[in-house]
Amino acid sequence: MPILGVALLAACTLAGLFVGDLLGAALGLEANVGGVGVAMLLLIALTNLPGRRLGPETPTGSGVQFWSMMYIPIIVAMAARQNVFAAVSGGVMAAVAGVLAVLAAFALVPVLSSWAQRP
Amino acid sequence: MEQIVEFAGTNGLLVAFVFVGAIMVVAYWLSRHVARGTVHGSAIAIALGLLLAFWAGADTGGKNGVADYPLLAGIGVLGGNMFRDFAIVATAFGVRMEDLRKAGLVGALSVPIGVILSFAVGAAVALAFGLTDPAEITTIGAGAATYIVGPVTGASLGVSSRIISLSIAAGLVKAVLVMVATPLVARRIGLDNPVSAMVYGGLMGTTSGVTGGLAATDPKLVPYGAMTSTFYTGLGCLLGPSLIYLVIRSVL
């Protein structure tokens, strides 16, 4: 049943986010630390249980697959509710800081990737 | 009109589905007929979303883009953190453990490297613009990390609200630029495999920027970038007001 996949996905997300909140609180932060990452690892582990791998073509898998395909529309909705006006009108210092931070990180991507791929 | 707004308000999520569906139709049409396939439809859809959000922000004076129109309040739900996280986790369906392990130590190290890099760049810019107070310089550096690290760091260092809003603006500039620029530079920086996507997520850190940028580049890479970027804001909030502030104060 597709609902089982949706329920599994929701349970993994909730569990991960809760762990992330606890981790943040343990570190004295008001931020979620790695919640989504934990949730993803949990989902990967539970859908790859030895002997009962869950594929996207199974009814249960289709419940997860659907939300995976809804990802881009949700990101478009996220883009449409960003405070773009504040970003554009935030002043020169904010713009320069944001732009340079992005350029510096772009420049480092190939450097670190080549380290990772070195045998 | 009032009746329509009220009707849309009680059916907010459904209105949001129709609204986003309409954006996707327009974006894919533009991609096929105007850009002739050179720009991916999802990249155009995200750019259209940002453009509408800009226009809405200028019009309403609110913080939530088009979601500040009562008619489109449902966009605030569909594009909010709950659905975003839910869908990001769903993209991990079908990810192979081996691919995650391949990035290994460098993938994990990209997060602290990215945090420190952003703080350093932001702090240098703040210095260049004439700030002298180490707490204020650290806060601008925090904003260059993400728009959440900025205000969290600023609040715990007790800087003025003007500096805090500047740091949020820096973080927003970063998020928007990452969404728009990633598909444009992806090929040049070798962003076409799980390893570089994990490194990229860790270096950039801004979850909305990373997930938006990867969605517009290659949706298959999204889970890898999201996996590392999800640790970035937490680490930034941890290091910013403590270690990085102390380093910046002792250097000045």
Side-chain angles (χ1 to χ4, degrees), chain A residues 9 29 34 36-37 40 43 65 67 71 73 78 80-83 85 87 90 93-94 100 102 106 112-113 117, chain B residues 20 49 53 63-64 66 76 79 86 89 93 106 121 129 166 173-174 193 196 199 204 208 211 222-223 230 234:
Chain A
L9 173 61
L29 305 172
V36 171
M40 290 168 106
L43 182 73
Q65 187 72 6
W67 284 102
Y71 169 76
M78 179 195 82
R81 53 152 289 178
Q82 297 288 309
N83 196 354
F85 186 71
M93 180 164 82
L100 289 184
V102 173
F106 273 142
L112 289 193
S113 306
Q117 273 145 355
Chain B
V20 174
K63 287 183 185 172
N64 302 312
V66 301
F86 190 55
V89 174
F93 188 50
V106 176
V121 170
F129 274 82
L166 276 178
V173 168
K174 182 177 179 180
N193 59 74
S196 57
V199 166
M204 285 300 178
S208 32
T211 52
V222 167
T230 173

mmCIF file of all heavy atoms in Angstrom, chain A residues 9 29 34 36-37 40 43 65 67 71 73 78 80-83 85 87 90 93-94 100 102 106 112-113 117, chain B residues 20 49 53 63-64 66 76 79 86 89 93 106 121 129 166 173-174 193 196 199 204 208 211 222-223 230 234:
data_model
loop_
_atom_site.group_PDB
_atom_site.id
_atom_site.type_symbol
_atom_site.label_atom_id
_atom_site.label_comp_id
_atom_site.label_asym_id
_atom_site.label_seq_id
_atom_site.Cartn_x
_atom_site.Cartn_y
_atom_site.Cartn_z
ATOM 1 N N LEU A 9 8.232 7.195 5.230
ATOM 2 C CA LEU A 9 8.976 8.417 4.931
ATOM 3 C C LEU A 9 8.750 9.468 6.018
ATOM 4 O O LEU A 9 9.697 10.092 6.512
ATOM 5 C CB LEU A 9 8.527 8.938 3.558
ATOM 6 C CG LEU A 9 9.062 10.298 3.122
ATOM 7 C CD1 LEU A 9 10.573 10.265 3.044
ATOM 8 C CD2 LEU A 9 8.470 10.671 1.773
ATOM 9 N N LEU A 29 22.329 24.869 21.292
ATOM 10 C CA LEU A 29 22.026 25.674 20.112
ATOM 11 C C LEU A 29 20.527 25.740 19.891
ATOM 12 O O LEU A 29 19.792 24.855 20.299
ATOM 13 C CB LEU A 29 22.657 25.053 18.864
ATOM 14 C CG LEU A 29 24.144 24.800 18.906
ATOM 15 C CD1 LEU A 29 24.560 24.020 17.695
ATOM 16 C CD2 LEU A 29 24.875 26.115 18.988
ATOM 17 N N GLY A 34 21.864 18.462 11.688
ATOM 18 C CA GLY A 34 21.910 17.246 10.878
ATOM 19 C C GLY A 34 20.639 16.422 10.841
ATOM 20 O O GLY A 34 20.674 15.261 10.444
ATOM 21 N N VAL A 36 17.974 16.330 8.894
ATOM 22 C CA VAL A 36 17.618 15.775 7.591
ATOM 23 C C VAL A 36 18.589 14.664 7.203
ATOM 24 O O VAL A 36 18.186 13.639 6.643
ATOM 25 C CB VAL A 36 17.586 16.898 6.522
ATOM 26 C CG1 VAL A 36 17.433 16.313 5.128
ATOM 27 C CG2 VAL A 36 16.447 17.854 6.807
ATOM 28 N N GLY A 37 19.868 14.847 7.525
ATOM 29 C CA GLY A 37 20.868 13.824 7.209
ATOM 30 C C GLY A 37 20.580 12.514 7.928
ATOM 31 O O GLY A 37 20.628 11.433 7.330
ATOM 32 N N MET A 40 17.642 10.836 6.323
ATOM 33 C CA MET A 40 17.980 10.201 5.041
ATOM 34 C C MET A 40 18.676 8.865 5.270
ATOM 35 O O MET A 40 18.359 7.862 4.617
ATOM 36 C CB MET A 40 18.894 11.111 4.225
ATOM 37 C CG MET A 40 18.215 12.343 3.699
ATOM 38 S SD MET A 40 19.441 13.492 3.065
ATOM 39 C CE MET A 40 19.186 13.281 1.353
ATOM 40 N N LEU A 43 16.146 6.305 6.275
ATOM 41 C CA LEU A 43 15.331 5.844 5.146
ATOM 42 C C LEU A 43 16.133 4.887 4.269
ATOM 43 O O LEU A 43 15.616 3.842 3.836
ATOM 44 C CB LEU A 43 14.847 7.034 4.317
ATOM 45 C CG LEU A 43 13.938 6.660 3.138
ATOM 46 C CD1 LEU A 43 12.565 6.235 3.633
ATOM 47 C CD2 LEU A 43 13.795 7.812 2.145
ATOM 48 N N GLN A 65 8.372 7.243 -3.620
ATOM 49 C CA GLN A 65 8.784 7.754 -4.924
ATOM 50 C C GLN A 65 7.994 9.007 -5.299
ATOM 51 O O GLN A 65 8.549 9.949 -5.850
ATOM 52 C CB GLN A 65 8.579 6.649 -5.968
ATOM 53 C CG GLN A 65 9.128 6.969 -7.337
ATOM 54 C CD GLN A 65 10.638 6.940 -7.363
ATOM 55 O OE1 GLN A 65 11.271 6.577 -6.389
ATOM 56 N NE2 GLN A 65 11.209 7.353 -8.472
ATOM 57 N N TRP A 67 6.771 11.374 -3.405
ATOM 58 C CA TRP A 67 7.262 12.590 -2.746
ATOM 59 C C TRP A 67 8.648 12.967 -3.220
ATOM 60 O O TRP A 67 9.027 14.133 -3.210
ATOM 61 C CB TRP A 67 7.207 12.415 -1.227
ATOM 62 C CG TRP A 67 5.797 12.551 -0.767
ATOM 63 C CD1 TRP A 67 4.952 11.555 -0.432
ATOM 64 C CD2 TRP A 67 5.045 13.767 -0.693
ATOM 65 N NE1 TRP A 67 3.720 12.063 -0.140
ATOM 66 C CE2 TRP A 67 3.740 13.414 -0.287
ATOM 67 C CE3 TRP A 67 5.339 15.104 -0.935
ATOM 68 C CZ2 TRP A 67 2.742 14.368 -0.113
ATOM 69 C CZ3 TRP A 67 4.338 16.050 -0.760
ATOM 70 C CH2 TRP A 67 3.057 15.674 -0.351
ATOM 71 N N TYR A 71 9.649 16.797 -5.255
ATOM 72 C CA TYR A 71 10.708 17.617 -4.681
ATOM 73 C C TYR A 71 10.889 18.952 -5.408
ATOM 74 O O TYR A 71 10.945 20.008 -4.786
ATOM 75 C CB TYR A 71 12.008 16.797 -4.669
ATOM 76 C CG TYR A 71 13.184 17.613 -4.349
ATOM 77 C CD1 TYR A 71 13.416 18.016 -3.046
ATOM 78 C CD2 TYR A 71 14.050 18.030 -5.346
ATOM 79 C CE1 TYR A 71 14.486 18.799 -2.750
ATOM 80 C CE2 TYR A 71 15.124 18.813 -5.050
ATOM 81 C CZ TYR A 71 15.342 19.206 -3.759
ATOM 82 O OH TYR A 71 16.397 20.006 -3.472
ATOM 83 N N PRO A 73 8.816 20.729 -7.506
ATOM 84 C CA PRO A 73 7.736 21.694 -7.260
ATOM 85 C C PRO A 73 7.800 22.302 -5.855
ATOM 86 O O PRO A 73 7.526 23.503 -5.685
ATOM 87 C CB PRO A 73 6.469 20.847 -7.429
ATOM 88 C CG PRO A 73 6.877 19.718 -8.296
ATOM 89 C CD PRO A 73 8.317 19.466 -8.072
ATOM 90 N N MET A 78 9.301 26.901 -2.397
ATOM 91 C CA MET A 78 10.253 27.466 -1.431
ATOM 92 C C MET A 78 10.905 28.732 -1.998
ATOM 93 O O MET A 78 11.038 29.734 -1.302
ATOM 94 C CB MET A 78 11.321 26.427 -1.092
ATOM 95 C CG MET A 78 12.370 26.912 -0.131
ATOM 96 S SD MET A 78 13.804 25.815 -0.106
ATOM 97 C CE MET A 78 14.691 26.390 -1.547
ATOM 98 N N ALA A 80 9.625 30.722 -4.158
ATOM 99 C CA ALA A 80 8.623 31.781 -4.267
ATOM 100 C C ALA A 80 8.292 32.417 -2.917
ATOM 101 O O ALA A 80 7.625 33.445 -2.867
ATOM 102 C CB ALA A 80 7.347 31.230 -4.909
ATOM 103 N N ARG A 81 8.749 31.791 -1.813
ATOM 104 C CA ARG A 81 8.471 32.425 -0.514
ATOM 105 C C ARG A 81 9.737 32.923 0.173
ATOM 106 O O ARG A 81 9.740 33.186 1.370
ATOM 107 C CB ARG A 81 7.669 31.483 0.393
ATOM 108 C CG ARG A 81 8.263 30.107 0.586
ATOM 109 C CD ARG A 81 7.862 29.545 1.918
ATOM 110 N NE ARG A 81 8.554 30.263 2.981
ATOM 111 C CZ ARG A 81 8.397 30.039 4.262
ATOM 112 N NH1 ARG A 81 7.534 29.176 4.685
ATOM 113 N NH2 ARG A 81 9.113 30.683 5.162
ATOM 114 N N GLN A 82 10.834 33.009 -0.580
ATOM 115 C CA GLN A 82 12.058 33.580 -0.017
ATOM 116 C C GLN A 82 11.936 35.097 0.060
ATOM 117 O O GLN A 82 11.221 35.723 -0.708
ATOM 118 C CB GLN A 82 13.271 33.237 -0.889
ATOM 119 C CG GLN A 82 13.588 31.763 -0.995
ATOM 120 C CD GLN A 82 14.168 31.217 0.289
ATOM 121 O OE1 GLN A 82 15.105 31.765 0.846
ATOM 122 N NE2 GLN A 82 13.588 30.137 0.771
ATOM 123 N N ASN A 83 12.708 35.678 0.977
ATOM 124 C CA ASN A 83 12.702 37.128 1.125
ATOM 125 C C ASN A 83 13.705 37.734 0.139
ATOM 126 O O ASN A 83 14.726 38.286 0.522
ATOM 127 C CB ASN A 83 13.063 37.487 2.566
ATOM 128 C CG ASN A 83 12.699 38.906 2.908
ATOM 129 O OD1 ASN A 83 12.268 39.655 2.034
ATOM 130 N ND2 ASN A 83 12.890 39.276 4.150
ATOM 131 N N PHE A 85 13.391 40.238 -1.840
ATOM 132 C CA PHE A 85 13.454 41.693 -1.828
ATOM 133 C C PHE A 85 14.512 42.177 -0.827
ATOM 134 O O PHE A 85 15.311 43.058 -1.126
ATOM 135 C CB PHE A 85 12.081 42.283 -1.484
ATOM 136 C CG PHE A 85 12.039 43.773 -1.591
ATOM 137 C CD1 PHE A 85 12.089 44.382 -2.840
ATOM 138 C CD2 PHE A 85 11.981 44.563 -0.460
ATOM 139 C CE1 PHE A 85 12.072 45.759 -2.948
ATOM 140 C CE2 PHE A 85 11.966 45.947 -0.565
ATOM 141 C CZ PHE A 85 12.005 46.542 -1.817
ATOM 142 N N ALA A 87 17.090 40.489 0.176
ATOM 143 C CA ALA A 87 18.412 40.113 -0.321
ATOM 144 C C ALA A 87 18.921 41.145 -1.313
ATOM 145 O O ALA A 87 20.079 41.553 -1.269
ATOM 146 C CB ALA A 87 18.362 38.731 -0.979
ATOM 147 N N GLY A 90 19.507 44.726 0.461
ATOM 148 C CA GLY A 90 20.176 44.675 1.767
ATOM 149 C C GLY A 90 21.417 45.536 1.881
ATOM 150 O O GLY A 90 22.076 45.550 2.912
ATOM 151 N N MET A 93 27.352 46.028 1.404
ATOM 152 C CA MET A 93 28.202 45.143 2.197
ATOM 153 C C MET A 93 27.617 43.726 2.248
ATOM 154 O O MET A 93 28.338 42.745 2.059
ATOM 155 C CB MET A 93 28.364 45.675 3.622
ATOM 156 C CG MET A 93 29.253 44.785 4.473
ATOM 157 S SD MET A 93 29.828 45.588 5.954
ATOM 158 C CE MET A 93 28.421 45.366 7.001
ATOM 159 N N ALA A 94 26.297 43.643 2.469
ATOM 160 C CA ALA A 94 25.658 42.323 2.512
ATOM 161 C C ALA A 94 25.808 41.611 1.175
ATOM 162 O O ALA A 94 26.126 40.416 1.122
ATOM 163 C CB ALA A 94 24.177 42.482 2.868
ATOM 164 N N LEU A 100 30.856 36.984 -2.479
ATOM 165 C CA LEU A 100 32.227 36.452 -2.352
ATOM 166 C C LEU A 100 32.232 35.096 -1.651
ATOM 167 O O LEU A 100 33.018 34.213 -2.005
ATOM 168 C CB LEU A 100 33.123 37.446 -1.609
ATOM 169 C CG LEU A 100 33.491 38.714 -2.391
ATOM 170 C CD1 LEU A 100 34.462 39.575 -1.599
ATOM 171 C CD2 LEU A 100 34.086 38.369 -3.754
ATOM 172 N N VAL A 102 29.994 32.821 -1.867
ATOM 173 C CA VAL A 102 29.575 31.824 -2.857
ATOM 174 C C VAL A 102 30.715 31.536 -3.838
ATOM 175 O O VAL A 102 31.028 30.376 -4.129
ATOM 176 C CB VAL A 102 28.317 32.306 -3.622
ATOM 177 C CG1 VAL A 102 27.990 31.355 -4.770
ATOM 178 C CG2 VAL A 102 27.142 32.410 -2.679
ATOM 179 N N PHE A 106 32.479 27.943 -4.532
ATOM 180 C CA PHE A 106 32.508 27.344 -5.879
ATOM 181 C C PHE A 106 33.936 26.977 -6.258
ATOM 182 O O PHE A 106 34.199 25.907 -6.803
ATOM 183 C CB PHE A 106 31.939 28.320 -6.919
ATOM 184 C CG PHE A 106 30.449 28.243 -7.091
ATOM 185 C CD1 PHE A 106 29.694 29.393 -7.300
ATOM 186 C CD2 PHE A 106 29.782 27.028 -7.073
ATOM 187 C CE1 PHE A 106 28.313 29.343 -7.467
ATOM 188 C CE2 PHE A 106 28.407 26.956 -7.245
ATOM 189 C CZ PHE A 106 27.678 28.118 -7.444
ATOM 190 N N LEU A 112 38.482 20.125 -3.448
ATOM 191 C CA LEU A 112 38.151 19.076 -2.473
ATOM 192 C C LEU A 112 37.679 17.796 -3.170
ATOM 193 O O LEU A 112 37.967 16.698 -2.697
ATOM 194 C CB LEU A 112 37.076 19.572 -1.496
ATOM 195 C CG LEU A 112 37.497 20.629 -0.475
ATOM 196 C CD1 LEU A 112 36.441 20.775 0.594
ATOM 197 C CD2 LEU A 112 38.823 20.308 0.158
ATOM 198 N N SER A 113 36.963 17.937 -4.298
ATOM 199 C CA SER A 113 36.504 16.737 -4.999
ATOM 200 C C SER A 113 37.678 15.901 -5.477
ATOM 201 O O SER A 113 37.644 14.683 -5.418
ATOM 202 C CB SER A 113 35.653 17.099 -6.214
ATOM 203 O OG SER A 113 34.612 17.940 -5.842
ATOM 204 N N GLN A 117 38.595 11.949 -4.603
ATOM 205 C CA GLN A 117 38.659 10.892 -5.620
ATOM 206 C C GLN A 117 40.047 10.283 -5.756
ATOM 207 O O GLN A 117 40.238 9.323 -6.469
ATOM 208 C CB GLN A 117 38.175 11.443 -6.967
ATOM 209 C CG GLN A 117 36.662 11.302 -7.081
ATOM 210 C CD GLN A 117 36.009 12.439 -7.829
ATOM 211 O OE1 GLN A 117 36.657 13.400 -8.194
ATOM 212 N NE2 GLN A 117 34.717 12.327 -8.057
ATOM 213 N N VAL B 20 1.953 26.364 -8.261
ATOM 214 C CA VAL B 20 3.264 25.826 -8.630
ATOM 215 C C VAL B 20 3.170 25.060 -9.947
ATOM 216 O O VAL B 20 4.057 25.156 -10.803
ATOM 217 C CB VAL B 20 3.825 24.920 -7.511
ATOM 218 C CG1 VAL B 20 5.118 24.256 -7.956
ATOM 219 C CG2 VAL B 20 4.082 25.738 -6.262
ATOM 220 N N GLY B 49 10.166 31.565 -9.570
ATOM 221 C CA GLY B 49 9.714 31.646 -8.182
ATOM 222 C C GLY B 49 10.408 32.782 -7.445
ATOM 223 O O GLY B 49 9.765 33.566 -6.726
ATOM 224 N N ALA B 53 8.824 36.195 -5.975
ATOM 225 C CA ALA B 53 9.023 36.506 -4.557
ATOM 226 C C ALA B 53 9.567 37.921 -4.393
ATOM 227 O O ALA B 53 9.175 38.651 -3.481
ATOM 228 C CB ALA B 53 9.979 35.493 -3.926
ATOM 229 N N LYS B 63 7.928 39.440 4.453
ATOM 230 C CA LYS B 63 9.166 38.663 4.423
ATOM 231 C C LYS B 63 9.024 37.354 3.681
ATOM 232 O O LYS B 63 10.004 36.651 3.469
ATOM 233 C CB LYS B 63 9.583 38.295 5.861
ATOM 234 C CG LYS B 63 10.130 39.427 6.675
ATOM 235 C CD LYS B 63 10.541 38.846 8.023
ATOM 236 C CE LYS B 63 10.998 39.913 8.975
ATOM 237 N NZ LYS B 63 11.206 39.342 10.312
ATOM 238 N N ASN B 64 7.817 36.956 3.341
ATOM 239 C CA ASN B 64 7.593 35.592 2.858
ATOM 240 C C ASN B 64 7.242 35.503 1.384
ATOM 241 O O ASN B 64 6.516 34.607 0.965
ATOM 242 C CB ASN B 64 6.505 34.910 3.687
ATOM 243 C CG ASN B 64 6.860 34.884 5.155
ATOM 244 O OD1 ASN B 64 7.973 34.510 5.507
ATOM 245 N ND2 ASN B 64 5.940 35.330 5.995
ATOM 246 N N VAL B 66 5.662 35.516 -2.131
ATOM 247 C CA VAL B 66 4.268 35.504 -2.583
ATOM 248 C C VAL B 66 3.322 34.997 -1.483
ATOM 249 O O VAL B 66 2.118 35.233 -1.551
ATOM 250 C CB VAL B 66 4.075 34.643 -3.854
ATOM 251 C CG1 VAL B 66 4.926 35.163 -4.996
ATOM 252 C CG2 VAL B 66 4.378 33.194 -3.583
ATOM 253 N N GLY B 76 3.225 29.292 1.481
ATOM 254 C CA GLY B 76 4.016 29.289 2.703
ATOM 255 C C GLY B 76 4.071 27.899 3.330
ATOM 256 O O GLY B 76 5.064 27.521 3.949
ATOM 257 N N GLY B 79 5.939 25.471 0.499
ATOM 258 C CA GLY B 79 7.358 25.809 0.398
ATOM 259 C C GLY B 79 8.010 25.951 1.763
ATOM 260 O O GLY B 79 9.159 26.393 1.858
ATOM 261 N N PHE B 86 10.608 16.989 4.201
ATOM 262 C CA PHE B 86 9.937 15.738 3.829
ATOM 263 C C PHE B 86 10.376 15.294 2.432
ATOM 264 O O PHE B 86 10.760 14.146 2.212
ATOM 265 C CB PHE B 86 8.420 15.981 3.866
ATOM 266 C CG PHE B 86 7.562 14.753 3.739
ATOM 267 C CD1 PHE B 86 7.727 13.685 4.604
ATOM 268 C CD2 PHE B 86 6.572 14.685 2.778
ATOM 269 C CE1 PHE B 86 6.911 12.562 4.501
ATOM 270 C CE2 PHE B 86 5.753 13.581 2.673
ATOM 271 C CZ PHE B 86 5.930 12.510 3.533
ATOM 272 N N VAL B 89 14.184 14.322 2.210
ATOM 273 C CA VAL B 89 14.420 12.962 2.724
ATOM 274 C C VAL B 89 13.966 11.940 1.686
ATOM 275 O O VAL B 89 14.639 10.935 1.447
ATOM 276 C CB VAL B 89 13.710 12.760 4.076
ATOM 277 C CG1 VAL B 89 13.832 11.306 4.542
ATOM 278 C CG2 VAL B 89 14.294 13.683 5.138
ATOM 279 N N PHE B 93 15.639 8.111 -1.275
ATOM 280 C CA PHE B 93 15.139 6.801 -1.709
ATOM 281 C C PHE B 93 15.871 6.421 -3.002
ATOM 282 O O PHE B 93 15.793 7.126 -3.996
ATOM 283 C CB PHE B 93 13.630 6.900 -1.947
ATOM 284 C CG PHE B 93 12.966 5.586 -2.218
ATOM 285 C CD1 PHE B 93 13.175 4.500 -1.390
ATOM 286 C CD2 PHE B 93 12.104 5.447 -3.295
ATOM 287 C CE1 PHE B 93 12.535 3.291 -1.635
ATOM 288 C CE2 PHE B 93 11.460 4.257 -3.543
ATOM 289 C CZ PHE B 93 11.690 3.165 -2.710
ATOM 290 N N VAL B 106 36.730 13.496 3.115
ATOM 291 C CA VAL B 106 36.709 14.816 2.484
ATOM 292 C C VAL B 106 35.290 15.384 2.495
ATOM 293 O O VAL B 106 35.083 16.577 2.739
ATOM 294 C CB VAL B 106 37.262 14.737 1.046
ATOM 295 C CG1 VAL B 106 37.158 16.090 0.364
ATOM 296 C CG2 VAL B 106 38.706 14.281 1.064
ATOM 297 N N VAL B 121 35.620 34.970 4.688
ATOM 298 C CA VAL B 121 35.272 35.892 3.598
ATOM 299 C C VAL B 121 34.379 37.011 4.121
ATOM 300 O O VAL B 121 34.631 38.201 3.876
ATOM 301 C CB VAL B 121 34.574 35.123 2.447
ATOM 302 C CG1 VAL B 121 33.995 36.084 1.435
ATOM 303 C CG2 VAL B 121 35.554 34.168 1.779
ATOM 304 N N PHE B 129 34.752 47.149 4.782
ATOM 305 C CA PHE B 129 33.723 48.195 4.814
ATOM 306 C C PHE B 129 33.823 49.048 6.078
ATOM 307 O O PHE B 129 32.927 49.818 6.374
ATOM 308 C CB PHE B 129 32.332 47.576 4.665
ATOM 309 C CG PHE B 129 31.923 47.378 3.237
ATOM 310 C CD1 PHE B 129 32.347 46.263 2.529
ATOM 311 C CD2 PHE B 129 31.133 48.315 2.578
ATOM 312 C CE1 PHE B 129 31.982 46.077 1.204
ATOM 313 C CE2 PHE B 129 30.766 48.137 1.253
ATOM 314 C CZ PHE B 129 31.189 47.025 0.560
ATOM 315 N N LEU B 166 21.783 43.089 8.462
ATOM 316 C CA LEU B 166 22.784 43.001 7.390
ATOM 317 C C LEU B 166 23.255 41.558 7.203
ATOM 318 O O LEU B 166 23.440 41.090 6.085
ATOM 319 C CB LEU B 166 23.987 43.892 7.706
ATOM 320 C CG LEU B 166 23.864 45.362 7.318
ATOM 321 C CD1 LEU B 166 25.107 46.130 7.746
ATOM 322 C CD2 LEU B 166 23.666 45.495 5.817
ATOM 323 N N VAL B 173 21.388 36.773 0.139
ATOM 324 C CA VAL B 173 22.082 36.954 -1.137
ATOM 325 C C VAL B 173 22.760 35.641 -1.523
ATOM 326 O O VAL B 173 22.677 35.179 -2.659
ATOM 327 C CB VAL B 173 23.133 38.082 -1.038
ATOM 328 C CG1 VAL B 173 24.056 38.069 -2.252
ATOM 329 C CG2 VAL B 173 22.456 39.432 -0.917
ATOM 330 N N LYS B 174 23.410 35.006 -0.516
ATOM 331 C CA LYS B 174 24.089 33.749 -0.783
ATOM 332 C C LYS B 174 23.098 32.683 -1.265
ATOM 333 O O LYS B 174 23.319 32.042 -2.290
ATOM 334 C CB LYS B 174 24.811 33.278 0.486
ATOM 335 C CG LYS B 174 25.595 31.996 0.300
ATOM 336 C CD LYS B 174 26.342 31.633 1.572
ATOM 337 C CE LYS B 174 27.114 30.333 1.399
ATOM 338 N NZ LYS B 174 27.850 29.963 2.610
ATOM 339 N N ASN B 193 28.765 14.421 -10.128
ATOM 340 C CA ASN B 193 28.792 13.093 -9.516
ATOM 341 C C ASN B 193 28.523 13.223 -8.019
ATOM 342 O O ASN B 193 28.617 14.323 -7.455
ATOM 343 C CB ASN B 193 30.146 12.424 -9.784
ATOM 344 C CG ASN B 193 31.281 13.245 -9.220
ATOM 345 O OD1 ASN B 193 31.477 13.280 -8.013
ATOM 346 N ND2 ASN B 193 32.022 13.940 -10.079
ATOM 347 N N SER B 196 31.345 15.043 -5.755
ATOM 348 C CA SER B 196 31.447 16.503 -5.822
ATOM 349 C C SER B 196 30.176 17.157 -5.286
ATOM 350 O O SER B 196 30.230 18.259 -4.736
ATOM 351 C CB SER B 196 31.756 16.975 -7.240
ATOM 352 O OG SER B 196 30.786 16.524 -8.139
ATOM 353 N N VAL B 199 30.660 17.347 -1.538
ATOM 354 C CA VAL B 199 31.627 18.400 -1.242
ATOM 355 C C VAL B 199 30.984 19.774 -1.406
ATOM 356 O O VAL B 199 31.111 20.663 -0.558
ATOM 357 C CB VAL B 199 32.864 18.260 -2.165
ATOM 358 C CG1 VAL B 199 33.723 19.505 -2.134
ATOM 359 C CG2 VAL B 199 33.669 17.022 -1.777
ATOM 360 N N MET B 204 28.978 24.927 0.587
ATOM 361 C CA MET B 204 27.976 25.990 0.465
ATOM 362 C C MET B 204 27.153 26.115 1.737
ATOM 363 O O MET B 204 26.955 27.208 2.248
ATOM 364 C CB MET B 204 27.041 25.701 -0.700
ATOM 365 C CG MET B 204 27.643 25.940 -2.041
ATOM 366 S SD MET B 204 28.140 27.657 -2.184
ATOM 367 C CE MET B 204 28.850 27.618 -3.816
ATOM 368 N N SER B 208 18.634 25.784 1.542
ATOM 369 C CA SER B 208 17.722 26.189 0.462
ATOM 370 C C SER B 208 18.506 26.433 -0.824
ATOM 371 O O SER B 208 18.072 26.041 -1.903
ATOM 372 C CB SER B 208 16.897 27.410 0.861
ATOM 373 O OG SER B 208 17.591 28.248 1.716
ATOM 374 N N THR B 211 19.847 22.835 -2.173
ATOM 375 C CA THR B 211 18.820 21.956 -2.721
ATOM 376 C C THR B 211 18.184 22.584 -3.960
ATOM 377 O O THR B 211 17.892 21.884 -4.931
ATOM 378 C CB THR B 211 17.756 21.627 -1.665
ATOM 379 O OG1 THR B 211 17.295 22.856 -1.105
ATOM 380 C CG2 THR B 211 18.327 20.774 -0.567
ATOM 381 N N VAL B 222 20.679 15.737 -5.671
ATOM 382 C CA VAL B 222 20.122 16.434 -4.514
ATOM 383 C C VAL B 222 20.416 15.742 -3.180
ATOM 384 O O VAL B 222 20.905 16.385 -2.249
ATOM 385 C CB VAL B 222 18.607 16.660 -4.695
ATOM 386 C CG1 VAL B 222 17.957 17.092 -3.401
ATOM 387 C CG2 VAL B 222 18.364 17.692 -5.781
ATOM 388 N N PRO B 223 20.143 14.422 -3.051
ATOM 389 C CA PRO B 223 20.340 13.822 -1.724
ATOM 390 C C PRO B 223 21.788 13.938 -1.226
ATOM 391 O O PRO B 223 22.007 14.101 -0.029
ATOM 392 C CB PRO B 223 19.940 12.363 -1.926
ATOM 393 C CG PRO B 223 19.895 12.151 -3.392
ATOM 394 C CD PRO B 223 19.577 13.464 -3.997
ATOM 395 N N THR B 230 23.116 19.670 5.557
ATOM 396 C CA THR B 230 22.244 19.661 6.733
ATOM 397 C C THR B 230 23.032 19.813 8.036
ATOM 398 O O THR B 230 22.476 20.145 9.080
ATOM 399 C CB THR B 230 21.384 18.376 6.740
ATOM 400 O OG1 THR B 230 20.682 18.305 7.960
ATOM 401 C CG2 THR B 230 22.220 17.144 6.627
ATOM 402 N N GLY B 234 24.111 23.987 11.761
ATOM 403 C CA GLY B 234 24.348 23.620 13.156
ATOM 404 C C GLY B 234 25.785 23.885 13.563
ATOM 405 O O GLY B 234 26.059 24.473 14.617
#
